[in-house]
Amino acid sequence: MSLTVYHAPPARSVRVVWLLEELGVPYETVAMPLDRKVLTGDEYRAVNPTGKIPALKHDDLILFESVAIMEYLLARFGPGDLAPAPEDRLYGPYLQWLHYGEAGMGPSVTMALGHRRLLPEAARIEAMAKWGEREAAACFDVLAGPLSANDYLLPSGFSAADISVAYMLLLAKFAGMSKAFPAAVSAYFERCTARPGWKVATRG
């Protein structure tokens, strides 16, 4: 069995490495530069046709969507305490939060990040940045609901859903939106980022 993660903090490969650390599964990393010429070159596109990070190689299988990789790894090597069983009453909420980290929060957070930090100054659109910030703030308020009652998104404790969501909060922080985090979300982000697996995954 050979697991290899193409990794470049703070790209979405953080989710994959963090999960592997939490699972205690052996893996190797290939350090990738956040350089568009490298990522869209023929060599890397043969691994990941999207030209983005992450990619996971498991023997002769290649996957490149971060949350799908998480589900795959949990099915193959876990889940341990990181995901409820399908018959558990928390399985539905778990899936909801697992995907909320990308599908629910991702569009608004990345819109704000792009138009505040990533795009060249001349390409930034203030109205798009404000839209992203407004929509992202609504997402933070949604998270505050369960996090006002529990330390993590599920009352059972830390799960892979927290890996998905906390990563998107990192991007929100990069976009300058951490001041919009409700107190419960700020405390949650601190708890998540104190975990050893997070520290390994985000180490540059």
Side-chain angles (χ1 to χ4, degrees):
M1 186 274 287
S2 174
L3 279 174
T4 302
V5 183
Y6 291 76
H7 184 37
R12 284 166 170 78
S13 55
V14 164
R15 284 179 173 141
V16 179
V17 172
W18 184 7
L19 177 60
L20 286 166
E21 287 290 321
E22 296 282 354
L23 287 169
V25 175
Y27 66 95
E28 296 179 349
T29 58
V30 175
M32 298 295 296
L34 290 174
D35 182 328
R36 184 166 178 78
K37 289 182 179 179
V38 175
L39 296 179
T40 59
D42 290 344
E43 183 177 351
Y44 184 63
R45 289 286 286 269
V47 176
N48 185 346
T50 71
K52 297 180 180 179
I53 302 291
L56 173 80
K57 290 182 72 174
H58 181 201
D59 297 330
D60 58 353
L61 173 70
I62 298 176
L63 298 172
F64 53 76
E65 187 65 32
S66 65
V67 176
I69 292 171
M70 291 177 67
E71 291 199 73
Y72 175 79
L73 292 172
L74 288 161
R76 290 297 302 268
F77 303 106
D81 296 329
L82 293 172
E87 62 273 15
D88 193 303
R89 65 181 181 81
L90 292 177
Y91 184 66
Y94 159 76
L95 286 179
Q96 172 181 269
W97 294 121
L98 178 71
H99 290 279
Y100 192 71
E102 189 65 39
M105 300 173 68
S108 54
V109 170
T110 54
M111 185 66 69
L113 179 60
H115 287 278
R116 288 295 183 210
R117 302 289 168 88
L118 298 183
L119 289 169
E121 193 77 36
R124 298 178 190 177
I125 301 172
E126 180 65 17
M128 297 303 291
K130 288 184 176 179
W131 176 87
E133 290 167 344
R134 183 175 62 252
E135 293 298 310
C139 292
F140 307 151
D141 288 342
V142 169
L143 297 177
L147 294 174
S148 296
N150 303 297
D151 285 346
Y152 296 100
L153 291 166
L154 299 181
S156 54
F158 182 81
S159 74
D162 298 299
I163 293 175
S164 177
V165 167
Y167 172 77
M168 194 54 63
L169 292 175
L170 174 67
L171 295 192
K173 182 179 178 181
F174 288 160
M177 291 189 287
S178 58
K179 290 182 180 179
F181 293 175
V185 175
S186 291
Y188 164 75
F189 187 62
E190 290 182 10
R191 283 191 291 275
C192 288
T193 58
R195 296 181 73 88
W198 167 274
K199 293 177 181 179
V200 172
T202 56
R203 188 164 52 219

